[in-house]
Amino acid sequence: MILATTRKTDYSTRDQQGKVAFYVLLWKRKGITRALFDDYWRDVHGPVCARLPGQYQYWQFHLSDNEGGLWPNIRGIEYVCPNEDQFDGIAELTFESEADRQTWFTSAAILMDDEHNIFSKAIGYTTNPGNSKTYVDGIPSGDPNGTLGILKFHVMVKKSDAVSVADFRRYMTDTFAPAVVQSDSVLKLRLHLFEEVDNSRPDAAGVSHYEPLEKQYDAAFEIAFANPLEMETFFSSKEYVVATQNQTKYIKRLLPFPERTVYTFVYDGKMTLAGQRSSTVAELIANIGATNQLKEDVTCLMLEQKLIKTHSNGSSNGLGNGAQKTTSTLTHKRTNYYKDLAADYSRPGLVTPYVAKKLIEDAERFVAMKEKTLPEINSYYTLQQIEQENKEWWPTHCEALRQGRGDILTGEYRDDLVYLCQDGPYQGLEQQKEREQHWWALIAQPGVTMCWPIVMFHGEVTYFEWKCVDDETNETLAKGNVTWVRRGHRGGCYLKTEQLTFYRDVFAANELLKLITTA
């Protein structure tokens, strides 16, 4: 497919809702071919990522190496990438808010267990609101699945050591980008201004998340041309001269990576067909024209395991003519209460050690965010945000209980906690302390696993049902149901009600009490 040589329509506004981005450079794992890397990333890893909450857009860009020779060289700027810095792809995710991005980060621990299958290194850059912007876009499809039939490059930029970040950004947004988009030969220009890489992010098994400061990029831009003639026309244009005037003052390194293919898994906040079924399946459906695969009954069956059964009932009208009446019956599995949460604690064996470690780190961070004064619910701290924070918190609470982290569990409460249960009522943090330590010791003891098959959220309220199962005999040691009133990370829990029943033990032995970490 060759697009028209000049832009006829500008589609850039379709990206405006994506306010912030997470932009990840990815190196394939040694020992696998690029073809296998492409297939697994596109058809296995991509659909898993697409199901995580918070995303507005999610693209995979599969790239060729930066070999030089395509870009006009300006003396003083580096254009060729060393072999060890050649990456194989970019995952770009956008979000409507920083809160949505944090929701995704909290949920993304599940991806870490898959990274080692295909990646050796994954370096994630973030952008602040307004620092990921599409200036012009003449490409009709915003959610492609495969090749576009055009020339497109993802260009990594490192600023000169002689200028500040602010001056570099001002050059990119006030000089470079406005000049580039004046050229009709440029089909698309999208610019990202990066924050420094968070090197505190832990490595996954065999996958490095660390990038030394001297190798980090400060920006990237995506630029597209309809064909080689239009690209060369741009490079010889007055617009290019204006765009690159004094460029050596601001840019130290400029590395173009040609795009081979691009795949879209989330668009406008919804999973695409590639996100739902994998890119290859989406391509097959499109190529054969299988419109039935897009219908609600198939979508419900594939995504939600819900079966819509259609059947006919004979009926007669007043004239005695037979008429067919079609009705639908919906049959489906019970609700998966953990569908949009970071980890599933509904039964044993679903949480990997890596995810568990990450959740404990998050739990400690959430406890540290609790404020001395209960924050007000208002337009700045809404019930919607509080409910989302409670969803982020929930898996961390489960893991803290499984690990007997009494210090974290106590830290989740406010100092003026009201706790209503059959042994209570309790007020504050001291009255229930001894009794609760016995409960924690019993349900976190070796050889048993705590499970929470049901959890529901509504504003400040979190309701859940739990049971404690013996790993060997499968007997239920204890069970109960609990309601927390928790004002997000900033407020913590100020009201808790609980019904609990212990079948085997009521008080824990001293050796079990010693296993509980206390504040």
Side-chain angles (χ1 to χ4, degrees), residues 111-179:
L111 295 178
M112 301 303 103
D113 295 326
D114 194 45
E115 279 195 349
H116 77 276
N117 291 319
I118 48 170
F119 305 133
S120 61
K121 185 176 178 180
I123 302 301
Y125 292 87
T126 59
T127 64
N128 285 339
N131 284 348
S132 286
K133 179 179 178 180
T134 302
Y135 285 81
V136 68
D137 189 354
I139 303 172
S141 175
D143 56 348
N145 182 43
T147 58
L148 284 171
I150 61 175
L151 291 178
K152 187 136 74 83
F153 300 89
H154 298 265
V155 185
M156 309 307 298
V157 185
K158 185 167 183 60
K159 75 175 186 67
S160 167
D161 296 334
V163 298
S164 66
V165 171
D167 287 343
F168 166 75
R169 290 181 172 182
R170 195 174 300 113
Y171 163 75
M172 295 298 293
T173 58
D174 295 356
T175 299
F176 179 78

Side-chain angles (χ1 to χ4, degrees), residues 435-449:
R435 191 70 188 95
E436 200 164 32
Q437 283 183 8
H438 278 272
W439 294 335
W440 292 340
L442 289 170
I443 60 184
Q445 65 181 288
V448 303
T449 302

Side-chain angles (χ1 to χ4, degrees), residues 251-271:
I251 292 179
K252 176 181 182 179
R253 188 173 299 133
L254 192 148
L255 305 177
F257 287 80
E259 179 182 293
R260 294 182 287 120
T261 51
V262 53
Y263 305 95
T264 313
F265 296 88
V266 178
Y267 197 69
D268 286 343
K270 302 179 183 67
M271 275 194 294

Side-chain angles (χ1 to χ4, degrees), residues 6-45:
T6 57
R7 298 190 306 265
K8 293 184 178 179
T9 306
D10 183 6
Y11 301 95
S12 59
T13 56
R14 64 190 171 199
D15 293 334
Q16 287 180 353
Q17 289 298 107
K19 305 294 185 185
V20 297
F22 185 48
Y23 189 96
V24 191
L25 309 185
L26 298 162
W27 284 253
K28 77 173 183 67
R29 177 169 67 85
K30 291 179 174 59
I32 63 173
T33 64
R34 176 169 273 178
L36 181 57
F37 166 81
D38 286 344
D39 291 345
Y40 190 94
W41 185 28
R42 179 184 67 235
D43 288 333
V44 181
H45 189 86

Side-chain angles (χ1 to χ4, degrees), residues 366-378:
F366 294 156
V367 167
M369 293 170 66
K370 187 177 61 180
E371 299 175 1
K372 289 185 177 181
T373 302
L374 189 68
E376 293 184 5
I377 300 173
N378 52 35

Side-chain angles (χ1 to χ4, degrees), residues 52 77 81 85 120 129 163 184 204 227 236 244 256 280 295 326 363-364 376 407 411 433 518:
L52 298 181
I77 297 178
C81 184
D85 296 331
S120 61
V163 298
D184 287 338
N227 52 53
S236 60
T244 57
T280 297
K295 291 182 178 179
T326 301
E364 293 170 336
E376 293 184 5
D407 55 333
K433 194 171 187 178
T518 56

Side-chain angles (χ1 to χ4, degrees), residues 64-135:
S64 297
D65 288 346
N66 162 268
E67 297 178 342
L70 290 173
W71 219 259
N73 288 6
I74 297 174
R75 186 183 298 274
I77 297 178
E78 302 169 21
Y79 293 92
V80 180
C81 184
N83 286 337
E84 66 271 17
D85 296 331
Q86 298 272 6
F87 52 89
D88 300 279
I90 298 169
E92 182 185 337
L93 296 87
T94 71
F95 308 86
E96 293 187 90
S97 68
E98 291 177 282
D100 284 344
R101 183 168 62 189
Q102 185 56 48
T103 296
W104 186 89
F105 282 150
T106 303
S107 305
I110 192 173
L111 295 178
M112 301 303 103
D113 295 326
D114 194 45
E115 279 195 349
H116 77 276
N117 291 319
I118 48 170
F119 305 133
S120 61
K121 185 176 178 180
I123 302 301
Y125 292 87
T126 59
T127 64
N128 285 339
N131 284 348
S132 286
K133 179 179 178 180
T134 302
Y135 285 81

